[in-house]
Amino acid sequence: MEKFNENILIVEDDVQVLMSFERILKKDGYNITAVDSGNKALNFLKKQKYDLVLADIIMKGIDGLQILEETKKISPETAVILVTGYSSMETVIDALRKGAVDYILKPCDEEELRLRIKKALDRQKLEQGALKAEEYKKISETLGAISHELNNPLTAIIGNVELMTLDLPENHPAFEKLKVIESSAEKMAEIIQKMRDIKGIERKKYTKDSKIIDIQKSSKFRKPDAGTILIVDDDVAITKLYSNILKNCEYKVDAVNSGFEALDAIKKKNYSIVILDVSMPEMDGYETLQKISEYYSRKRIQLPATIMITGFDVEGILQKCKNKGAFAALHKPLKNKVLIETVKEAEKFIKRN
């Protein structure tokens, strides 16, 4: 026989019925509290949490309907089943409207009682599971949004500190201070990573080794301007940072701050590499990538290798951007070295194709 361990409060002023219910449900392994009045029931409800309350409707003093109402005030998630032998259907319907999950007519046999109790508890578990899932989803979305918003300023801090230390000797008075800033920023990045872990996002870099789309195999398509990179990010601090990093490596760089500006830019110049932020207002990275792909295809120009930058799930991004030119996806905050290495990989890919 299957055993259970839920806590059940039985409220019944007929002692014989009370003892019968207690005996039946204890055999199934439930933790039973049995009382013979509404007053006693309310005292227990205030002291202990119950999964289910089984209460007779007709009792002296505090009746079953009052117990139902008080139970829902004290513990809304507790299931309530009312027992009746005299009440009209109007009373039963009223009880169901007030939150009772079921009702049992007296006299009831052992199997019916056990079945009704189990069904009510199973339903309660499903509802609580759905509520917890919804709560977790909201928490997860909030954490994801917060971590994403923190990533941009953190990327700017880490990246600019790295650039500044490149120009300073290690014995310079400012060098050690900059390293302290860098270390603190990296600790913040670790905190953001923990927030991502709660959300279920792994920090990885995904790079495609194969050609991105079949259209690139055709020799009829013109090559883009070699070495020209377009940076697209709505955060000016980020576009300036990426521009400085890549210009230090002697790349030709253009930077814009929206998807619309990116579309204007590609009409004036063909780019070999596009660094594209996923989360932008008005036109996000997905839509921008789609429109860039459509434009280059119409013009019969080889698609640029696009590096997607995000604070979210990089694997999901590459899946979503399949066959649209996404070469790689990187997480913010990212090290300057990672950006440079990925651009070099993209450059090699373009030259091979």
Side-chain angles (χ1 to χ4, degrees):
M1 181 184 292
E2 188 177 2
K3 294 290 183 180
F4 309 96
N5 62 359
E6 288 87 351
N7 296 320
I8 296 177
L9 174 63
I10 304 173
V11 193
E12 171 63 69
D13 60 354
D14 185 323
V15 177
Q16 294 298 320
V17 175
L18 179 66
M19 292 174 63
S20 174
F21 285 170
E22 182 180 14
R23 176 183 55 79
I24 293 168
L25 297 179
K26 273 189 173 179
K27 284 197 301 183
D28 283 344
Y30 295 112
N31 302 313
I32 303 298
T33 302
V35 296
D36 59 5
S37 74
N39 284 322
K40 292 178 182 178
L42 293 183
N43 287 333
F44 276 102
L45 281 168
K46 292 172 183 176
K47 297 175 184 177
Q48 184 176 337
K49 182 176 176 60
Y50 291 94
D51 299 292
L52 184 141
V53 173
L54 179 67
D56 189 18
I57 290 182
I58 307 298
M59 292 187 294
K60 294 178 182 179
I62 297 175
D63 63 19
L65 289 176
Q66 290 173 294
I67 290 172
L68 168 63
E69 292 175 358
E70 291 302 314
T71 299
K72 290 303 172 183
K73 290 177 185 177
I74 297 169
S75 178
E77 66 275 12
T78 298
V80 179
I81 296 177
L82 295 179
V83 182
T84 180
Y86 309 102
S87 297
S88 65
M89 283 308 297
E90 286 79 6
T91 304
V92 170
I93 292 170
D94 183 43
L96 294 173
R97 284 175 177 167
K98 289 179 178 178
V101 296
D102 201 355
Y103 68 94
I104 297 174
L105 292 174
K106 294 179 184 177
C108 69
D109 61 33
E110 181 174 329
E111 284 306 310
E112 181 185 5
L113 175 65
R114 295 173 65 242
L115 179 62
R116 295 290 186 93
I117 294 291
K118 186 177 184 305
K119 283 179 65 177
L121 289 170
D122 287 346
R123 176 182 169 184
Q124 180 199 51
K125 288 176 184 176
L126 286 173
E127 290 176 350
Q128 288 180 354
L131 285 172
K132 286 179 181 178
E134 185 63 27
E135 288 174 4
Y136 181 81
K137 182 182 177 183
K138 289 178 181 177
I139 292 170
S140 175
E141 289 173 351
T142 301
L143 287 175
I146 292 171
S147 65
H148 181 266
E149 289 303 315
L150 290 173
N151 276 326
N152 273 1
L154 199 55
T155 297
I157 292 169
I158 293 173
N160 280 296
V161 166
E162 285 185 25
L163 286 175
M164 292 169 72
T165 53
L166 287 176
D167 299 327
L168 293 176
E170 291 188 11
N171 60 356
H172 192 283
F175 187 88
E176 186 177 347
K177 294 176 182 177
L178 288 170
K179 282 297 182 181
V180 170
I181 294 172
E182 183 180 37
S183 175
S184 298
E186 287 175 351
K187 286 179 181 177
M188 287 180 64
E190 290 175 6
I191 293 171
I192 292 173
Q193 178 57 37
K194 289 177 181 177
M195 292 169 68
R196 285 204 202 106
D197 290 341
I198 294 172
K199 193 177 186 298
I201 297 174
E202 294 182 1
R203 186 177 186 178
K204 295 179 181 177
K205 175 184 144 186
Y206 294 82
T207 304
K208 288 192 172 182
D209 296 324
S210 60
K211 294 180 181 179
I212 304 305
I213 61 171
D214 293 338
I215 209 169
Q216 292 181 325
K217 296 178 181 178
S218 174
S219 60
K220 296 179 182 179
F221 288 81
R222 292 191 292 114
K223 296 281 185 178
D225 297 338
T228 308
I229 300 172
L230 176 64
I231 300 169
V232 189
D233 197 303
D234 61 309
D235 192 319
V236 176
I238 297 298
T239 55
K240 285 183 178 179
L241 170 65
Y242 294 165
S243 296
N244 289 333
I245 293 169
L246 297 173
K247 284 177 181 177
N248 278 354
C249 297
E250 299 184 352
Y251 285 104
K252 298 175 185 177
V253 177
D254 291 334
V256 296
N257 299 114
S258 74
F260 294 106
E261 291 178 8
L263 297 182
D264 288 337
I266 65 171
K267 292 174 184 176
K268 299 171 184 176
K269 186 185 294 185
N270 301 329
Y271 293 94
S272 60
I273 298 170
V274 175
I275 298 172
L276 179 59
D277 187 40
V278 172
S279 298
M280 296 186 294
E282 297 180 349
M283 185 188 297
D284 64 18
Y286 297 120
E287 187 179 356
T288 303
L289 179 63
Q290 175 68 38
K291 291 185 180 297
I292 289 174
S293 176
E294 291 171 356
Y295 177 81
Y296 273 60
S297 298
R298 285 198 306 271
K299 294 294 182 179
R300 304 185 71 78
I301 303 170
Q302 182 187 14
L303 290 178
T306 301
I307 301 168
M308 308 294 285
I309 309 291
T310 181
F312 297 109
D313 179 10
V314 290
E315 186 174 22
I317 287 169
L318 283 181
Q319 289 295 325
K320 192 169 181 177
C321 299
K322 186 179 180 182
N323 293 338
K324 291 184 178 64
F327 172 75
L330 301 177
H331 258 305
K332 292 178 183 177
L334 60 101
K335 290 279 192 177
N336 298 1
K337 182 181 178 182
V338 174
L339 178 63
I340 293 167
E341 287 176 351
T342 308
V343 168
K344 286 180 178 178
E345 290 174 14
E347 191 177 28
K348 290 176 184 176
F349 172 81
I350 290 294
K351 288 178 180 178
R352 286 199 306 268
N353 294 280

